[in-house]
Amino acid sequence: MSATVINRAPTGAGVRYLRPGEAGYDQAVTAWNLLGSHRPAVVALAERADDVVAAVRYARSAGLGVGVMATGHGTGHAVEGGLLINTAAMQGLSVDPVTAIARVEAGVSWARLNERAAMHGLFGLQGSSSGVGVVGYSMGGGFGWLGRHFGFASQSIVAAELVTADGDLITVDADHEPDLFWGLRGSAGNLGVVTALHLRLVELDVVYGGALFYPISAARLVIEHYAQWAAEQPDEVASSVALLNFPPLPFLPEPLRGQSLVSIRLCYSGDDLGRGAAAVRDLRKRLGEPLIDDVRRMRVTELDRISAEPTDPVAGVMRSALLPELNADVIDVLVAEQTADSPLLVVELRHLGGALRVPSDQLSPLNRTGANFSFNAIGLAFTPELQSAAQAKLARFGSLIDPLSDGAVYVNFLEGEAAAGRIRRAYSAAEWNRLTDLKTCWDPENMFRFNRNIPPRAGTMSPA
Ligand SMILES: Cc1cc2nc3c(=O)[nH]c(=O)nc-3n(C[C@H](O)[C@H](O)[C@H](O)COP(=O)(O)OP(=O)(O)OC[C@H]3O[C@@H](n4cnc5c(N)ncnc54)[C@H](O)[C@@H]3O)c2cc1C
């Protein structure tokens, strides 16, 4: 079946283009992660779908590669010399409380969507920080505190409006271009520029969650008990263990500022909050009294509290991997390396499994190796000295953790130039082949290449 072409002759007349040196250019290319900012030859400020169509057609005629930025939380591969489509102004949003489906334009953040959805007792599958963009996040899978219970945000996509490399604006769903629809849900925006997603929301009002903090000196004991506890939890309980070196920065609350701590972060999203409370009581019994106990019944709109990630732009570097187990070898590395004098802000292991094991007829953005934990290490890099210290530590973690990993990676946790080389390991061999076929069919010249890139099959040309 073919897709519905909803606009073949857009005007796009008003689309604003900015070039280096022009007023507004620097702001339009600066990412949330300041190290991931773009340097395009030209940036298009898109306000509506027609503008995206016009920009893609312009890029095609000028022979430019294309990248997209909404919030700038995830520059997989910065645009250098091509065309950047900035979608931040595309803020259209509607929630249908009867069908529980939201239509979300390309610039909308999870905070905006979920504030609106919560008015109807509904919620979208956001990650640990609601400042992240709905579309970019969902393109790479997207899981947070509700993931083990409800799956990836990409699985909640029921339809997408997107602009193809030919410059057509089409709508795809399970009945219209089903193959493209399959690939769109987890392939990092490689197949087109999405102008709007239609997402199924879940009915959810309150959860039981938060974070427990212990001194870093207790890290080994805490992680060992946590690993046992996590393995016993039902899918409604999502959790992670994080070793944190909080800098003395003002955005942090007083008890955390400047401290080195080990934290268990968790969220119960089932129907009976009493079960969540019981699971946390059990954990406290095993671990003893925490230094800080911030676990409680909370409105689902408060989910950001659990990880308390920075909201203002930062300069950061990171490294990720997937681990089959949180075993003694992994714990040895964590305890030996993420000490109070480590230059890294956080090393976090998130519990996977549950609904994150994607059914075989849908695309898994996390490969299919059966990994039980994701590993994520992040360093702040506001000065060249901090950056090189953090990068050296990340490289050391890589040399120690990679041999314990199953080699697989998760799409959304791939950052920087390394993303391009590693994305293949985010998919099973069969899914990678199918995605490569789709890319070759829908974007044979790799116009959409400034991203976590899936290249088309060899023999096709790449624009500048
Ligand atoms: C503080 C923080 C917390 C995070 N937490 C989580 C988490 O809990 N779970 C998780 O899964 N990920 C998480 N991420 C990773 C994040 O989901 C990805 O980096 C995601 O790509 C960011 O999307 P964005 O639109 O906000 O960022 P942008 O930098 O604007 O876009 C990132 C990429 O998304 C693609 N993209 C964006 N818009 C479009 C579009 N309209 N059409 C096609 N492709 C598009 C492009 O490839 C673009 O390069 C987090 C990142 C940060 C910085």
Side-chain angles (χ1 to χ4, degrees):
M1 266 167 280
S2 65
T4 315
V5 176
I6 54 182
N7 191 344
R8 273 197 180 278
T11 59
V15 59
R16 224 176 121 209
Y17 294 102
L18 296 173
R19 291 173 176 75
E22 290 182 351
Y25 172 91
D26 287 343
Q27 195 191 348
V29 303
T30 300
W32 182 87
N33 182 349
L34 302 166
L35 295 183
S37 294
H38 302 270
R39 297 304 299 169
V42 55
V43 54
L45 304 182
E47 293 182 10
R48 51 188 177 270
D50 283 1
D51 295 344
V52 177
V53 172
V56 168
R57 290 181 179 183
Y58 167 72
R60 170 159 292 288
S61 65
L64 296 172
V66 172
V68 190
M69 181 169 77
T71 74
H73 275 75
T75 307
H77 180 173
V79 179
E80 287 287 343
L83 174 93
L84 176 68
I85 301 178
N86 184 318
T87 61
M90 295 179 67
Q91 289 294 329
L93 169 63
S94 59
V95 173
D96 183 337
V98 177
T99 59
I101 288 175
R103 179 182 177 277
V104 186
E105 289 191 355
V108 174
S109 69
W110 282 104
R112 257 201 88 220
L113 166 58
N114 277 335
E115 190 187 332
R116 181 79 63 87
M119 291 175 187
H120 307 287
L122 299 169
F123 207 70
L125 302 177
Q126 71 170 63
S128 51
S129 168
S130 63
V132 170
V134 174
V135 172
Y137 170 93
S138 304
M139 288 293 98
F143 79 94
W145 297 115
L146 308 176
R148 277 172 43 86
H149 188 180
F150 298 107
F152 288 99
S154 54
Q155 296 175 270
S156 73
I157 300 173
V158 295
E161 300 165 30
L162 81 153
V163 178
T164 65
D166 283 339
D168 286 334
L169 177 58
I170 64 175
T171 301
V172 294
D173 59 24
D175 296 322
H176 302 90
E177 293 293 353
D179 209 28
L180 177 58
F181 181 63
W182 171 88
L184 196 71
R185 302 195 312 164
S187 60
N190 268 277
L191 302 173
V193 182
V194 170
T195 57
L197 288 180
H198 301 241
L199 297 169
R200 187 173 302 286
L201 306 171
V202 297
E203 274 181 47
L204 194 65
D205 200 14
V206 287
V207 296
Y208 194 83
L212 302 171
F213 294 90
Y214 294 86
I216 197 88
S217 55
R220 180 178 295 279
L221 190 84
V222 170
I223 304 172
E224 282 171 358
H225 281 299
Y226 164 74
Q228 270 177 6
W229 175 86
E232 296 162 12
Q233 299 311 309
D235 295 352
E236 291 85 356
V237 176
S239 63
S240 75
V241 62
L243 292 101
L244 295 138
N245 282 331
F246 289 109
L249 291 176
F251 71 79
L252 294 165
E254 183 63 56
L256 304 179
R257 206 176 300 157
Q259 300 296 311
S260 294
L261 301 166
V262 55
S263 172
I264 294 177
R265 301 161 165 179
L266 57 97
C267 177
Y268 170 86
S269 55
D271 292 336
D272 178 1
L273 292 196
R275 289 187 65 198
V280 179
R281 267 199 306 278
D282 175 30
L283 185 60
R284 286 195 195 100
K285 203 156 41 161
R286 299 183 197 200
L287 293 177
E289 202 55 34
L291 283 179
I292 303 167
D293 187 336
D294 188 30
V295 183
R296 58 181 173 76
R297 179 185 195 274
M298 60 168 74
R299 298 235 343 127
V300 71
T301 44
E302 294 179 273
L303 276 187
D304 280 11
R305 283 181 62 101
I306 299 176
S307 300
E309 284 165 352
T311 50
D312 290 338
V314 299
V317 287
M318 67 178 280
R319 184 173 185 105
S320 67
L322 296 183
L323 300 170
E325 302 297 340
L326 176 43
N327 59 21
D329 292 340
V330 174
I331 296 173
D332 283 348
V333 173
L334 297 178
V335 171
E337 296 298 326
Q338 184 58 1
T339 50
D341 59 359
S342 162
L344 300 185
L345 172 69
V346 57
V347 175
E348 182 180 34
L349 276 85
R350 292 190 185 187
H351 191 203
L352 304 174
L356 298 175
R357 303 239 192 275
V358 176
S360 59
D361 61 337
Q362 297 169 27
L363 176 61
S364 171
L366 194 64
N367 211 319
R368 292 187 183 273
T369 53
N372 280 306
F373 285 89
S374 71
F375 164 92
N376 236 340
I378 299 172
L380 295 179
F382 287 110
T383 64
E385 294 73 31
L386 281 175
Q387 185 173 348
S388 60
Q391 268 164 341
K393 193 64 165 181
L394 292 178
R396 174 146 179 86
F397 261 115
S399 70
L400 297 168
I401 285 290
D402 287 356
L404 305 175
S405 152
D406 56 19
V409 294
Y410 167 50
V411 175
N412 267 352
F413 291 167
L414 291 173
E415 279 302 320
E417 301 303 314
R422 296 180 82 204
I423 191 170
R424 185 182 195 122
R425 295 293 303 150
Y427 307 103
S428 69
E431 287 174 327
W432 175 259
N433 277 333
R434 193 171 165 191
L435 286 173
T436 308
D437 284 344
L438 276 169
K439 179 75 174 179
T440 309
C441 171
W442 287 94
D443 185 16
E445 294 177 359
N446 206 6
M447 173 184 265
F448 305 123
R449 70 185 181 86
F450 295 113
N451 50 25
R452 297 160 177 129
N453 194 235
I454 299 171
R457 293 205 184 282
T460 46
M461 277 169 46
S462 223

